[in-house]
DNA sequence: ATTAAGGTCTTAATGGATTAAGAAGGAGGG
DNA sequence: CCCTCCTTCTTAATCCATTAAGACCTTAAT
């Protein structure tokens, strides 16, 4: 049985294809009687409705926006920061009645990302490392594109926070409390899967722009407080999980002299650091101060952190996608230091 | 400046459109030299690559699957059960290299859901109430469709758990501990936004099939233990949140005689019940036993719950979407009672 | 009776690409 | 020199629908 199209129905009834099309999309162009007959025949033949791809082609719009995210989706759906962003974006899409097409980024990179075939009206790119091929594919599509967090692409709207400033604020909080032996645990600097100590060279060579900026903020604040950055133990993680944070915590807290404060670039990691501190019988904040980032999982644990407006960024991204601005802007959203119980001056 | 298409490039170079198409999609059909020239001209003209909608139309595939979920996306991205399912589904999609098109369900129902225009190869419908118009739209598309949790649609694969059995197991756990004064707090029975006491008539008239089944399991187990169901206080919620659970908890625990055990159909709700118990200075489990559902947010709180294989269901749904079976199956996944510290025999 | 105005349907152009089959030309073998 | 086989491209059919403009027929008003 051949596929049923508008033409099939038209032939059946001896009317033109256009008439059948009107029956589906512009009821006012037809007599009620004929329209009813058309719909009935369509039903009898098992017509699946006007083909979506053909419609999209003809109308020039897709009714969907594409979303590219650096991590696997399984990870993204477990990450509080990503979820906050998704919520904002999804709500904007929902209000506009457009779909959200989540595109997979093949990790094994055997095949190219399915960006070329994505039937969308715009793209939202979130947190891609420098030089990621998927970004080039997206830009080649020449659709409205907004980038969130990283990397900044001149000529396209950008949404994020002032990473160096936010990083500096987190670090300044610690040095102003009097800490001088600071350790750092960061995830998402590189995408080569390495875990362990990172020297300043590797730190600065991070391929994730936002994290690079955040780290440089840490460094700037520490240096201006007289801390020798080269001596700051810096542990790099490849996975953002509580377990990874714990691993970093043990590494950092095992050093002599032991750091009195640890900066982390996610709340989840910070929770892991707290676990490690607990393992070692250290009191937080008396023996150790810990700062998280994002305020995505920090509240219950009483974690000092930098709050970023995840949902607002998502919502704003959605709006920019749906109504691309004439002048691409670089929008930096506010961030805020939230001081809770995980930080205090070091023991004298 | 008119839009650049394959034809534009072909004209520029004096070759045929087909040749240009081959340059993009079948490099082996062309001499390297010509291919290079084509790609260069394409670049110069700012060609955006083969149009995705046209490609999808011609090839007859979309490279994406559609997802319909009953709740707003902002809610879905905050619900642990939904997230677990999404993770499984997204991972399957990722492995197959297909996109996941999340479709909004307009709550205001002014406009129809954008199901007709979704350029997808298959649909996954999750947790829709009986008679929801979006389901009819989906079925009209005559694409491979799988339904998760509810409603069961004969002729299409179905994934979920044996709800009556799972509900009965939760309730049986309580009555076997000796509880006879049981209360129930459930969310997601109806979609009319009502909150408050629900009599058995309203309970049985629930429009969400899975919850209807789960509740009937509660009833069956209670009744066979000699509990008069009509006297079981039943509090219905319209939102699945900790705050809603707390509200239900206060309502249920304010009754005389006070229930010694409360059944809830989500972990989040159960956490709210625990909050209410704490408000009233009640000891859990000595004064009150609480059972959650899903094992999605239960572990840290030590909540007794029914575990369902969320991620596996999602992964299985993904597989069925990508390779539709000949015989549609009704797959019931295992569930398991996880007994933790929130349940105990009632005080003598 | 004439004509304007509607209502209802058809014609035909259009959106952009894919691919089987065929044509043209060159190279190599006998 | 002829035939065959490649390689490289072209031809033309096909995927399915939308919509402006035009044709035809009624109806109502003048």
């Amino acid at each position: 049985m051949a596929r049923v199209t508008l033409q099939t129905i038209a032939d059946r009834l001896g009317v033109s294809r256009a008439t059948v099309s009107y029956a589906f999309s512009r009821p006012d162009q037809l007599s009620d009687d004929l329209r009813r007959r058309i719909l009935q025949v369509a039903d009898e033949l098992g017509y699946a409705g006007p083909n979506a791809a053909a419609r999209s082609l003809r109308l020039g719009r897709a009714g969907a926006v594409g979303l590219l995210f650096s991590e696997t989706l399984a990870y993204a759906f477990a990450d509080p920061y990503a979820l906050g962003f998704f919520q904002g974006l999804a709500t904007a899409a929902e209000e506009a009645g457009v779909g959200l097409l989540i595109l997979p980024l093949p990790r094994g990179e055997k095949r190219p990302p399915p960006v070329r075939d994505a039937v969308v009206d715009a793209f939202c790119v979130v947190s891609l490392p420098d030089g990621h091929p998927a970004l080039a594919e997206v830009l080649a599509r020449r659709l409205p594109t907004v980038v969130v967090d990283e990397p900044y692409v001149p000529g396209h709207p950008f949404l994020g926070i002032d990473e160096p400033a936010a990083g500096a604020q987190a670090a300044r909080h610690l040095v102003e409390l009097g800490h001088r032996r600071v350790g750092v645990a960061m995830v998402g600097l590189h995408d080569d899967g390495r875990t362990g100590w990172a020297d300043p060279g590797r730190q600065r060579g991070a391929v994730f722009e936002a994290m690079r900026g955040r780290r440089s903020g840490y460094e700037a604040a520490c240096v201006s407080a007289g801390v020798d950055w080269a001596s700051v133990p810096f542990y790099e993680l490849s996975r953002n999980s509580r377990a990874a944070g714990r691993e970093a915590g043990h590494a950092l807290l095992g050093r002599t002299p032991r750091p009195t404060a640890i900066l982390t670039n996610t709340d989840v990691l910070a929770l892991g650091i707290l676990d490690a501190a607990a393992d070692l019988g250290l009191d937080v904040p008396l023996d150790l101060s810990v700062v998280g980032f994002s305020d995505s999982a920090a509240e219950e644990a009483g974690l000092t952190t930098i709050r970023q407006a995840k949902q607002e960024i998502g919502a704003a991204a959605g709006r920019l996608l749906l109504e691309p601005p004439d002048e691409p802007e670089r929008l930096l959203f506010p961030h805020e230091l939230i001081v809770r119980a995980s930080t205090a001056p070091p023991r004298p």
Side-chain angles (χ1 to χ4, degrees), chain A:
Chain A
M1 191 178 67
R3 178 193 282 281
V4 181
T5 72
L6 286 187
Q7 191 68 63
T8 319
I9 301 171
D11 293 346
R12 214 13 151 37
L13 278 163
V15 299
S16 80
R17 178 165 74 247
T19 308
V20 182
S21 175
Y22 283 140
F24 281 94
S25 49
R26 300 242 310 248
D28 54 311
Q29 301 288 297
L30 251 60
S31 66
D32 273 2
D33 175 52
L34 179 57
R35 173 153 193 266
R36 254 194 301 276
R37 273 161 48 221
I38 289 176
L39 293 183
Q40 199 202 320
V41 169
D43 193 48
E44 284 166 12
L45 294 175
Y47 180 54
N51 181 285
R55 214 145 185 278
S56 179
L57 169 60
R58 180 67 240 227
L59 298 178
R61 55 183 174 68
V65 300
L67 177 64
L68 288 200
F69 190 76
S70 65
E71 296 290 339
T72 65
L73 295 176
Y75 170 77
F77 282 140
D79 177 64
Y81 173 71
L83 283 174
F85 171 78
F86 285 169
Q87 281 190 31
L89 180 61
T91 301
E94 207 157 51
E95 279 165 10
V98 308
L100 192 58
L101 178 61
I102 303 185
L103 295 168
L105 289 190
R107 311 299 280 176
E109 49 207 280
K110 38 198 179 256
R111 56 197 160 200
V115 168
R116 271 183 34 173
D117 287 350
V119 183
V120 296
D121 298 314
F123 279 106
C124 182
V125 168
V126 185
S127 204
L128 246 39
D130 297 346
H132 193 292
L135 180 59
E137 298 255 2
V138 166
L139 296 177
R141 290 285 305 267
R142 287 162 204 268
L143 290 172
T145 299
V146 328
V147 182
V148 176
D149 286 350
E150 60 208 336
Y152 174 59
V153 181
H156 291 275
F158 175 91
L159 307 177
I161 63 172
D162 184 338
E163 296 282 356
Q169 192 172 4
R172 204 179 315 118
H173 171 61
L174 290 179
V175 297
E176 282 175 356
L177 284 171
H179 292 277
R180 287 302 176 273
R181 297 207 306 278
V182 176
V184 181
M186 286 190 85
V187 66
L189 292 174
H190 294 269
D191 59 353
D192 57 5
R194 254 170 69 180
T195 284
W197 302 109
D199 62 32
R202 177 154 171 100
Q203 293 169 28
R204 292 197 195 93
V207 297
F208 286 91
E209 185 179 309
M211 295 309 143
R212 213 161 55 221
R214 200 174 290 179
R215 190 217 62 91
S216 75
Y218 291 163
E219 176 174 351
C222 287
V223 166
S224 64
V227 174
D228 170 32
W229 186 259
S231 71
V232 169
F234 190 109
Y235 201 87
E236 167 185 16
L237 282 317
S238 62
R239 282 178 35 252
N240 180 32
S241 68
R242 197 156 172 159
R246 181 183 220 143
E247 176 193 335
H250 279 287
L252 289 163
L253 296 171
R255 312 260 307 192
T256 320
R258 195 175 64 216
T260 61
I262 295 181
L263 287 163
T264 68
N265 68 330
T266 74
D267 285 348
V268 172
L269 236 43
L271 295 179
I273 302 279
L274 295 183
D275 291 341
D279 292 343
L280 298 170
L282 296 176
D283 183 83
V284 173
L286 290 185
D287 297 317
L288 178 71
S289 287
V290 179
V291 181
F293 210 104
S294 295
D295 197 32
S296 50
E299 186 150 12
E300 313 83 63
L303 205 61
T304 294
T305 192
I306 299 283
R307 172 178 295 166
Q308 19 182 348
K310 313 169 270 303
Q311 300 207 16
E312 286 168 38
I313 295 180
R319 261 175 273 121
L320 288 176
L321 287 169
L322 299 167
E323 298 184 24
D326 304 327
E327 277 297 295
E329 288 173 278
R330 181 174 180 141
L331 294 173
L332 294 185
F333 284 69
H335 59 266
E336 184 188 359
L337 175 71
I338 308 285
V339 179
R340 295 205 183 90
S342 71
T343 49
R347 285 192 197 272

